[in-house]
Amino acid sequence: MAELGVVAWPPAPMRTERLVLRESRAGDRTAFIELFASSEVRTYLGGPRPRDELERAVPEIPGRRPGVFVVELDGAPIGTVMLDRRDAERPGHLGPEGAEAELGYMLLPSAWGRGYAAEACAAALDWFAAALPGEPVVLCTQTANDRSMRLAAKLGFVEVARFEEFGAEQWFGVRSPVTSAD
């Protein structure tokens, strides 16, 4: 994925009712490795990556770029929320030029089922709306991923298309300023 472009980064840590979204730091490396090595987390994201490969590849401060937030609960990282540009070569775009802002997220399984993903994604979307006003955000998930499908609806994403990618049916939606949920 390509970076967002010119945005003020890093923002001050964002606090929600239960979470903090902040820039990555060195102490987050273990959580990043856990996310990418987890077969549960990566079920709909191409599968887990080998832990030994991640130990070699993940930098000391992972995900340190505009649009990548660490989601923290009670002082411990539980996942990430990312806003990046969707690769132009991939299917699923709003226009011929592509490069729309795309929302992605991963939480550790111990944090699932408590509404943290919705809370964190909503905060990141609010930050994005302030940083790049009027720009839509897209989200792509496998139709088999019931949790992500429900989250997309809760966040105000509206279906634009379905297509095959990575050997599975994908749902592609958009959240624009006129369709965003409050």
Side-chain angles (χ1 to χ4, degrees):
M1 295 204 168
E3 290 190 17
L4 286 178
V6 180
V7 293
W9 193 263
M14 297 184 295
R15 299 186 188 288
T16 68
E17 184 179 328
R18 303 174 293 173
L19 306 171
V20 174
L21 276 72
R22 59 170 174 73
E23 181 183 32
S24 182
R25 55 184 179 233
D28 300 325
R29 186 175 189 274
T30 300
F32 271 77
I33 290 171
E34 288 300 318
L35 286 167
F36 283 96
S38 170
S39 58
E40 290 174 283
V41 172
R42 303 283 300 168
T43 296
Y44 301 104
L45 298 170
R49 292 184 47 198
R51 186 173 296 279
D52 61 335
E53 173 189 305
L54 291 166
E55 290 288 350
R56 288 189 306 273
V58 174
E60 183 180 335
I61 302 176
R64 194 167 204 183
R65 67 179 191 276
V68 178
F69 295 95
V70 170
V71 180
E72 189 178 271
L73 173 67
D74 298 329
I78 61 167
T80 65
V81 174
M82 300 143 289
L83 286 151
D84 287 307
R85 296 286 170 193
R86 185 164 175 83
D87 292 332
E89 305 81 42
R90 294 186 60 203
H93 292 286
L94 300 176
E97 68 284 346
E100 297 89 351
E102 181 175 24
L103 176 69
Y105 52 90
M106 294 188 294
L107 294 181
L108 294 170
S110 60
W112 292 1
R114 295 180 177 88
Y116 298 142
E119 193 173 322
C121 288
L125 289 166
D126 287 348
W127 168 82
F128 182 84
L132 297 166
E135 188 172 333
V137 177
V138 299
L139 182 145
C140 189
T141 188
Q142 287 186 22
T143 57
N145 189 342
D146 295 331
R147 288 175 183 241
S148 281
M149 295 288 292
R150 286 192 303 272
L151 179 58
K154 184 174 188 171
L155 293 170
F157 284 85
V158 177
E159 184 174 338
V160 174
R162 291 185 186 211
F163 49 84
E164 290 287 320
E165 186 180 31
F166 307 121
E169 183 181 52
Q170 306 292 323
W171 182 93
F172 181 74
V174 64
R175 182 180 191 262
S176 64
V178 294
T179 62
S180 57
D182 291 331

